[in-house]
């Protein structure tokens, strides 16, 4: 009887050890994103695109036989929660890399507290174009999108070329909005010009944009660049049009045109321009877009096809390639080294490239316009 108990105990121990080994064999990635709060829609889309590609990799044997497991936590777009969740992830889940965070202030919170440096870990593809996260370069943060400075500069140049001269900026009063504001001011300075007006709003109250409208409308600008989230942009457009302003309106890439249509109406937002930093996801012209649409339909059928889900899909492809190149025993340091070595990586008609002194993988920017029937036109 004693031997049987011993054998039973050994069997239970072996089963437990096997379960532990299986879990340890997973490649763990950590993601903190706003799944609730003011930009929950964007967070949901940014999680979905990466999830579709990771599911595809797992369905085809994983990375060198190891499955990817993403531990995702909701920060409600609050930097203090981003910081707390990341520290918990690093302590409890031991991720190989961090992936797909959302928000300028949120990632700046990690920077200020040197969380990435202390952990020796890469953060891949944060959903932010802030210059403060690019200069000075943080070697642990790998960006795959152009900066807000790139976006606003492109807008100013385009609008100046077609004869517009009076520019204003509506911005979220935080590091995200101020980064775009600074980019527009720099671009105008190069042309020997200055803003005719600017107006901000509180990031925690995105629909309270009355002060921004009052600061901007009386100056009668030719064009207004909005560095703002979906709800604030829609509210601003509606209130601005009530003043009789016919200014041309342009938004940076963090805005989802479908949210503008839903919140402000097609007649109100028709003609609004939106800069984009990823391939056009609504037509399968590029191989990466065809793959994205196919895998979203297969693994995330209830989720939205959007620029945000497209961006995280591209980011997931790049990160998987770096982990694969890191070999059968990847470490945080090996993954960072392999990301750095992707100097001109083609993900399917769209190129991302890093290097020893470069952590900005793409500077691609194009301008789209909301057209007739609520369609986004390139």
């Amino acid at each position: 009887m004693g031997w049987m108990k011993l054998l039973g105990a050994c069997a239970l121990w072996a089963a437990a050890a096997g379960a532990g080994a299986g879990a340890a064999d997973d490649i763990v990635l950590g993601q903190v994103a706003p799944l609730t709060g003011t930009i929950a829609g964007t967070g949901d889309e940014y999680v979905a695109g990466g999830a579709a590609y990771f599911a595809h990799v797992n369905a085809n044997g994983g990375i060198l036989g190891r499955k990817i497991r993403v531990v995702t936590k909701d920060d409600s777009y609050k930097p203090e929660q981003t910081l707390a969740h990341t520290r918990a992830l690093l302590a409890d889940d031991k991720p190989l890399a961090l992936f797909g965070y959302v928000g300028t202030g949120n990632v700046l919170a990690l920077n200020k507290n040197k969380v990435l440096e202390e952990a020796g870990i890469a953060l891949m593809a944060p959903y932010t174009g802030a210059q403060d996260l690019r200069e000075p370069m943080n070697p642990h943060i790998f960006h795959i999108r152009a900066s807000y400075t790139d976006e606003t500069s492109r807008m100013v140049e385009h609008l100046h070329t077609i004869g517009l001269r009076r520019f204003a900026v509506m911005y979220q009063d935080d590091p995200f909005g101020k980064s775009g504001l600074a980019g527009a001011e720099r671009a105008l300075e190069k042309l020997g010009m200055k803003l005719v007006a600017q107006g901000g709003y509180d990031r925690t109250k995105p629909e309270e944009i009355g002060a921004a409208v009052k600061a901007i409308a009386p100056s009668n600008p030719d064009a207004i660049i909005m560095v703002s989230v979906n709800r604030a942009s829609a509210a601003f457009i509606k209130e601005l049009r009530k003043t009789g302003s016919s200014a041309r309106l342009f938004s940076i890439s963090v805005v989802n045109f479908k949210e503008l249509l839903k919140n402000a109406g097609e007649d109100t937002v028709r003609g609004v321009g939106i800069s984009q930093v990823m391939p056009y996801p609504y037509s399968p012209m590029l191989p990466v877009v065809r793959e994205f649409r196919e895998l979203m339909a297969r693994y995330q059928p209830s989720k939205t096809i959007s620029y945000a889900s497209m961006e995280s899909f591209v980011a997931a492809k790049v990160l998987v390639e770096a982990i694969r190149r890191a070999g059968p025993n990847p470490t945080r340091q090996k993954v960072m080294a392999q990301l750095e070595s992707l100097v001109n990586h083609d993900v399917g008609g769209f190129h991302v490239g890093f290097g020893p002194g470069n952590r900005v993988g793409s500077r691609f920017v194009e301008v789209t316009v909301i057209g007739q029937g609520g369609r986004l036109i390139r």
Side-chain angles (χ1 to χ4, degrees):
M1 190 70 176
W3 280 104
M4 289 186 70
K5 286 184 179 178
L6 181 60
L7 287 170
C10 287
L12 288 171
W13 177 85
D25 283 342
D26 287 344
I27 291 172
V28 179
L29 304 177
Q31 181 171 28
V32 179
L35 302 178
T36 57
T38 59
I39 62 166
T42 299
D44 184 63
E45 291 171 16
Y46 209 57
V47 169
Y53 189 72
F54 294 139
H56 166 68
V57 172
N58 285 344
N60 288 274
I63 301 176
L64 301 178
R66 297 173 65 184
K67 297 296 179 71
I68 300 167
R69 179 165 59 90
V70 183
V71 180
T72 303
K73 293 182 180 289
D74 174 22
D75 64 7
S76 299
Y77 196 43
K78 296 176 180 177
E80 65 276 12
Q81 290 192 26
T82 311
L83 186 61
H85 285 326
T86 301
R87 284 174 167 159
L89 273 171
L90 292 169
D92 301 337
D93 300 285
K94 308 294 191 295
L96 182 65
L98 301 175
F99 169 84
Y101 281 44
V102 177
T104 298
N106 308 73
V107 180
L108 280 172
L110 303 184
N111 256 13
K112 290 174 183 175
N113 289 276
K114 300 190 180 301
V115 173
L116 305 176
E117 290 88 339
E118 289 174 6
I121 196 168
L123 170 56
M124 179 67 189
Y127 191 71
T128 167
Q131 205 65 26
D132 288 352
L133 291 168
R134 290 158 166 76
E135 295 177 357
M137 184 188 86
N138 182 330
H140 296 269
I141 303 178
F142 292 80
H143 305 273
I144 65 163
R145 57 161 37 234
S147 71
Y148 298 141
T149 299
D150 293 329
E151 291 188 58
T152 52
S153 295
R154 175 72 181 273
M155 285 185 215
V156 167
E157 290 164 7
H158 168 72
L159 295 169
H160 185 267
T161 299
I162 62 175
L164 303 186
R165 295 293 180 269
R166 297 176 58 78
F167 293 84
V169 171
M170 190 277 280
Y171 66 98
Q172 184 164 290
D173 191 8
D174 71 350
F176 150 59
K178 289 176 180 177
S179 178
L181 171 64
E185 289 176 323
R186 257 182 249 135
L188 286 169
E189 189 177 342
K190 289 179 183 176
L191 297 167
M193 300 165 61
K194 291 184 178 180
L195 291 172
V196 297
Q198 58 181 266
Y201 70 93
D202 186 332
R203 67 177 273 150
T204 65
K205 302 171 183 176
E207 291 173 338
E208 296 183 13
I209 45 67
V213 173
K214 287 179 182 177
I216 291 172
S219 66
N220 195 29
D222 297 326
I224 303 170
I225 294 172
M226 300 179 292
V227 190
S228 48
V229 297
N230 291 320
R231 273 200 248 168
S233 300
F236 179 80
I237 294 167
K238 286 194 292 185
E239 291 305 310
L240 180 78
R241 291 311 187 211
K242 287 179 184 177
T243 70
S245 171
S246 59
R248 297 279 297 274
L249 295 171
F250 278 76
S251 172
I252 62 170
S253 61
V254 296
V255 159
N256 184 325
F257 82 101
K258 291 182 180 179
E259 289 293 316
L260 292 187
L261 287 165
K262 182 174 76 175
N263 293 323
E266 181 188 332
D267 290 343
T268 305
V269 301
R270 188 182 303 124
V272 171
I274 306 173
S275 62
Q276 308 293 355
V277 296
M278 284 288 131
Y280 187 72
Y282 305 107
S283 175
M285 295 180 67
L286 292 179
V288 69
V289 178
R290 290 195 291 273
E291 182 185 27
F292 161 68
R293 293 175 66 89
E294 177 189 338
L295 296 185
M296 284 290 286
R298 186 181 306 170
Y299 297 109
Q300 296 283 306
S302 66
K303 300 299 183 179
T304 304
I305 295 290
S306 69
Y307 275 100
S309 51
M310 177 86 241
E311 183 170 336
S312 62
F313 182 86
V314 169
K317 288 200 73 171
V318 175
L319 182 55
V320 165
E321 180 63 23
I323 296 171
R324 185 176 285 119
R325 292 187 185 194
N329 297 301
T331 63
R332 292 174 179 176
Q333 291 73 25
K334 287 179 181 177
V335 171
M336 284 185 60
Q338 291 304 321
L339 282 169
E340 186 178 273
S341 74
L342 296 174
V343 176
N344 186 25
H345 182 59
D346 184 359
V347 297
F350 184 77
H351 292 256
V352 175
F354 304 112
N358 175 37
R359 291 295 185 268
V360 180
S362 170
R363 294 189 181 276
F364 170 81
V365 179
E366 70 174 3
V367 178
T368 57
V369 178
I370 302 176
Q372 191 74 31
R375 293 182 303 111
L376 195 65
I377 304 166
R378 296 176 72 188

